[in-house]
Amino acid sequence: MKILILLIALFSFLSCREKMNDQDLVGVWKARDGAMVRLERGGVVIIKGMNMAMIWSNENKLADIIGEWKFTTDLNGNQVVEINADKYNFSFFMSGQGVVGNKPPFDLYVFIGDPDDFNKYSFTKKE
């Protein structure tokens, strides 16, 4: 019986997890290295000074990107921000603070190398 009560409490706790929506994403996000991502209403993305070696090891340059963004879910059901531009297509994952990562401030990030290593190129919302 104690296990059943514990499972119900755990399920209730996890089901209360807040989900972000596209309006939560609109604004300026900055990385420690000075790179900036601006997600605008209407789906326009402007990226300045993004270190592309963090995403693709064979591309060692800083990129300025203008394209489109879309708030969606990936094949595993994770909320992601898809970036689509002429030359670059990739997704940002999202994480927050707290036990289950559902509290602000939120970060946008891409994994650097193997995701099992948990190395992230992170952007924190500034505006």
Side-chain angles (χ1 to χ4, degrees):
M1 184 66 173
K2 289 180 183 180
I3 293 175
L4 180 60
I5 293 171
L6 181 63
L7 289 174
I8 290 171
L10 181 63
F11 178 73
S12 297
F13 177 71
L14 292 176
S15 67
C16 292
R17 183 175 179 178
E18 296 174 26
K19 296 280 187 177
M20 292 182 69
N21 62 51
D22 57 347
Q23 294 308 306
D24 294 327
L25 298 168
V26 170
V28 175
W29 301 75
K30 292 192 177 178
R32 284 185 177 171
D33 67 357
M36 181 272 307
V37 174
R38 179 185 301 274
L39 301 175
E40 297 181 349
R41 284 182 171 76
V44 173
V45 62
I46 300 169
I47 301 174
K48 299 280 186 185
M50 186 168 188
N51 185 347
M52 299 313 290
M54 299 291 197
I55 301 174
W56 295 289
S57 60
N58 64 342
E59 184 139 354
N60 192 14
K61 70 175 189 174
L62 298 180
D64 293 337
I65 301 168
I66 297 176
E68 297 179 349
W69 71 275
K70 178 172 65 169
F71 183 56
T72 188
T73 55
D74 66 8
L75 296 174
N76 296 320
N78 299 314
Q79 291 180 310
V80 296
V81 177
E82 288 183 4
I83 304 297
N84 294 304
D86 287 337
K87 187 174 179 182
Y88 300 106
N89 295 299
F90 58 93
S91 294
F92 283 111
F93 294 94
M94 292 173 283
S95 66
Q97 308 304 308
V99 176
V100 292
N102 65 340
K103 305 282 187 225
F106 291 95
D107 291 329
L108 298 178
Y109 65 90
V110 293
F111 286 108
I112 302 169
D114 186 347
D116 291 335
D117 293 337
F118 294 105
N119 293 326
K120 299 176 182 179
Y121 187 26
S122 294
F123 293 77
T124 302
K125 191 169 185 182
K126 299 298 180 185
E127 296 177 19

